[in-house]
Amino acid sequence: MKILIVFAHPEPRSLSASLRDVAIHDLEAQGHEVQLSNLYDKGWKSEIDRDDFPTLPAGDRLKVPGSSRGAFDAAALTADVGAEIGKLRWADTLILQFPLWWFSMPAILKGWVDRVYANGFAYGVGEHSDRRWGDRYGEGALAGKRAMLIVTAGGWEEHYAPRGINGPMDDLLFPINHGILHYPGYEVLPPFVVYRADRLDEAGFELVAERLRGRMRTLATTPPLPFRRQNGGDYLIPAMQLRPGLEAPGTAGFALHLTHGDPGKID
Amino acid sequence: MKILIVFAHPEPRSLSASLRDVAIHDLEAQGHEVQLSNLYDKGWKSEIDRDDFPTLPAGDRLKVPGSSRGAFDAAALTADVGAEIGKLRWADTLILQFPLWWFSMPAILKGWVDRVYANGFAYGVGEHSDRRWGDRYGEGALAGKRAMLIVTAGGWEEHYAPRGINGPMDDLLFPINHGILHYPGYEVLPPFVVYRADRLDEAGFELVAERLRGRMRTLATTPPLPFRRQNGGDYLIPAMQLRPGLEAPGTAGFALHLTHGDPGKID
């Protein structure tokens, strides 16, 4: 397999960096090819702005979707963005690894998404009509590939449980797993999450590392999260509302968009 | 009132900028004091890194929570971060305004949160014992103040409805409203959201502007989202799980942490 790891932690001697190396070593030992985008190390630019669109005439308003589309169609995206798009096309598996800061990804990784997910590449793809609303949520440029998150959190696992005060981890990660990964087509594997990451001792680290190695060895076989496909028949078009009655009674919120509660469905 | 607007859009002639000016003009016409943190305009640094902690010895590992605490306690945060903390203390109302990119805030605004929310200021505050888990979720440095989001989204409102494919807007914004605003103590007002923002014509803009003026005139009186307080008795401590049976049957996910479905509660 070809695996791209996009890594976002500022400290080379961090727990995150150690886990990243555990993953890379294990994947390479299995004979896989690994590329790493180490965002802090490469001084990644986080802010999308006019400099992202060198062909935008000086007097024109920057409209991000339109300017992005123009630059993508003209092959005029900046070199750093173009290189990342190339890696996404090369890889059959994408791993995003980051510490959970304020219940989401660090700014530098959000900036990777904001800038690399160009219009015409990651969105604005496919037929838009009364029968289809583009290729997204299971279809698109990255369909047929797999993706997963490796997340380190300082907090306690209980606080991220279904009734935990922070909200359930699955729901906190939904905007990323569904909105960023599934959107351009990825099959999304369950995330690998480490809790109380600041407090791990050596024995604790080795347990986490072994669990991570297990996930690296099953990248190709782990069942993905059962997100519904936009154009698979479950949604009304163009309202893009889930058809009534598909889900188990009492299902609400983000959970509606996964099939694992559907009556009669076998995941 | 004293109002701080933190604004994150790269184009000075954008719809977002026009709405920001509508808000500012209306607030000033009411006699309020307004400060603006225009993140793109001031070249805000998005990435938290070693440069944020000038007193961290060169050979020491950067551990973000620990390094942040050290710098905060020693009054050694960088000048840009210190200025923003000063503005947060000054303001009795905070408004974050941003375009919704990939179902969250732009990187530059996430970087404002990551960097300004120092340990000892926005988290790591208050007594931690078997009776209290710190001052957070309704208590903390910013308790007694109000906050709200102004969000522009390119997509259709239906796609963000309770059964919409993107997930409900209230749930997509929960990690911000609850995890970033309520966490350090803010009362959080319902967000002001503009859908299909790319397609607004002049008449459409005027309708949106008038709706926004209405919200600016009711900043002090709009009932906040009824988030539960961590230390108000609804959570078990230290598990920080919501006590059984408080919520209406069928409530799940993020909605558990608001009281508006509670049987017998009057919001």
Side-chain angles (χ1 to χ4, degrees):
Chain A
M1 295 197 295
K2 296 169 182 167
I3 295 140
L4 172 62
I5 301 178
V6 182
F7 177 77
H9 195 289
E11 172 55 58
R13 293 162 294 175
S14 59
L15 171 75
S16 292
S18 300
L19 289 175
R20 175 200 68 206
D21 291 342
V22 164
I24 292 174
H25 293 152
D26 200 84
L27 292 167
E28 290 182 339
Q30 292 179 64
H32 301 312
E33 288 177 77
V34 180
Q35 289 199 64
L36 172 66
S37 287
N38 187 336
L39 299 183
Y40 273 98
D41 194 55
K42 65 166 74 189
W44 182 260
K45 170 178 178 277
S46 303
E47 308 83 13
I48 199 165
D49 59 21
R50 290 190 83 86
D51 292 343
D52 281 52
F53 312 110
T55 55
L56 183 68
D60 282 14
R61 258 173 69 179
L62 168 61
K63 295 185 174 185
V64 173
S67 304
S68 175
R69 186 55 181 252
F72 180 77
D73 287 346
L77 291 164
T78 58
D80 58 349
V81 167
E84 296 303 303
I85 290 176
K87 289 184 209 169
L88 288 173
R89 292 199 154 127
W90 168 86
D92 45 51
T93 304
L94 169 67
I95 294 174
L96 304 181
Q97 187 188 346
F98 59 92
L100 193 74
W101 288 349
W102 296 104
F103 309 105
S104 188
M105 48 175 64
I108 198 171
L109 181 55
K110 184 56 171 39
W112 180 89
V113 176
D114 290 346
R115 296 184 59 231
V116 173
Y117 268 36
N119 187 358
F121 171 60
Y123 68 108
V125 177
E127 174 191 339
H128 281 73
S129 68
D130 53 357
R131 295 178 304 110
R132 283 183 75 79
W133 194 272
D135 299 342
R136 61 175 195 172
Y137 292 123
E139 297 170 282
L142 302 166
K145 300 171 185 279
R146 307 190 131 211
M148 75 175 273
L149 306 180
I150 297 178
V151 178
T152 46
W156 296 48
E157 184 164 4
E158 297 98 303
H159 302 188
Y160 293 96
R163 299 179 70 81
I165 192 165
N166 295 333
M169 183 61 82
D170 285 348
D171 286 346
L172 291 166
L173 297 181
F174 180 92
I176 303 173
N177 279 328
H178 184 260
I180 292 175
L181 296 175
H182 192 53
Y183 192 103
Y186 284 111
E187 298 271 18
V188 185
L189 305 189
F192 182 85
V193 183
V194 183
Y195 294 96
R196 301 205 77 199
D198 297 349
R199 306 298 176 103
L200 269 190
D201 58 14
E202 252 179 74
F205 178 81
E206 197 36 56
L207 286 172
V208 169
E210 197 51 30
R211 189 159 63 87
L212 180 58
R213 289 185 196 102
R215 289 297 305 272
M216 293 300 99
R217 285 168 201 175
T218 53
L219 273 182
T221 56
T222 298
L225 297 172
F227 288 129
R228 300 179 193 276
R229 285 163 175 273
Q230 170 175 280
N231 297 310
D234 287 358
Y235 294 94
L236 300 163
I237 297 175
M240 307 316 311
Q241 306 264 338
L242 186 65
R243 290 180 189 280
L246 293 180
E247 75 278 12
T251 307
F254 294 151
L256 287 170
H257 304 288
L258 294 91
T259 62
H260 48 202
D262 287 6
K265 278 242 170 121
I266 299 160
D267 293 327
Chain B
M1 294 196 297
K2 296 169 182 168
I3 295 141
L4 171 63
I5 301 179
V6 181
F7 177 77
H9 195 289
E11 172 56 57
R13 293 163 294 176
S14 59
L15 171 74
S16 291
S18 300
L19 289 176
R20 174 201 68 205
D21 292 342
V22 164
I24 292 173
H25 293 152
D26 201 82
L27 291 168
E28 291 182 339
Q30 291 179 65
H32 301 312
E33 288 177 77
V34 181
Q35 288 199 63
L36 173 66
S37 287
N38 186 336
L39 299 183
Y40 273 98
D41 194 54
K42 65 165 76 189
W44 181 260
K45 171 180 178 277
S46 302
E47 308 84 13
I48 198 166
D49 59 22
R50 290 192 82 86
D51 292 344
D52 281 50
F53 312 110
T55 55
L56 183 67
D60 282 14
R61 261 173 69 179
L62 168 62
K63 295 185 174 185
V64 173
S67 304
S68 176
R69 185 56 181 251
F72 179 77
D73 286 347
L77 292 164
T78 58
D80 58 349
V81 168
E84 295 303 303
I85 290 176
K87 290 184 210 169
L88 288 173
R89 290 198 156 129
W90 168 86
D92 45 50
T93 304
L94 169 68
I95 294 174
L96 303 182
Q97 188 189 346
F98 58 92
L100 193 73
W101 288 350
W102 296 104
F103 308 107
S104 187
M105 48 175 64
I108 199 170
L109 181 54
K110 184 58 172 35
W112 180 88
V113 176
D114 290 346
R115 295 184 60 232
V116 173
Y117 268 35
N119 187 358
F121 172 61
Y123 68 110
V125 177
E127 173 192 340
H128 281 72
S129 68
D130 54 357
R131 295 179 304 109
R132 283 182 76 80
W133 193 272
D135 298 343
R136 59 174 197 174
Y137 292 123
E139 297 170 281
L142 302 166
K145 299 171 185 279
R146 308 191 129 211
M148 74 174 274
L149 305 180
I150 298 177
V151 178
T152 47
W156 297 46
E157 184 164 4
E158 298 98 301
H159 301 188
Y160 294 95
R163 298 179 69 82
I165 192 165
N166 296 333
M169 183 60 83
D170 285 347
D171 286 346
L172 291 166
L173 297 181
F174 180 91
I176 302 173
N177 279 328
H178 183 260
I180 292 175
L181 296 176
H182 191 54
Y183 192 103
Y186 284 111
E187 298 273 14
V188 184
L189 305 189
F192 181 86
V193 183
V194 184
Y195 295 95
R196 301 206 77 200
D198 297 349
R199 307 299 175 103
L200 270 190
D201 58 15
E202 251 178 78
F205 178 82
E206 199 36 56
L207 285 172
V208 169
E210 197 51 30
R211 192 160 60 87
L212 180 59
R213 288 185 197 102
R215 288 297 305 270
M216 293 300 100
R217 286 168 201 176
T218 53
L219 274 182
T221 55
T222 299
L225 298 172
F227 289 129
R228 300 178 194 277
R229 285 164 176 270
Q230 170 175 281
N231 297 310
D234 287 357
Y235 295 94
L236 300 163
I237 296 176
M240 306 315 311
Q241 307 263 339
L242 185 65
R243 290 181 189 278
L246 292 181
E247 74 279 12
T251 308
F254 293 151
L256 287 170
H257 303 288
L258 294 91
T259 61
H260 48 201
D262 287 5
K265 279 243 169 119
I266 298 159
D267 294 327

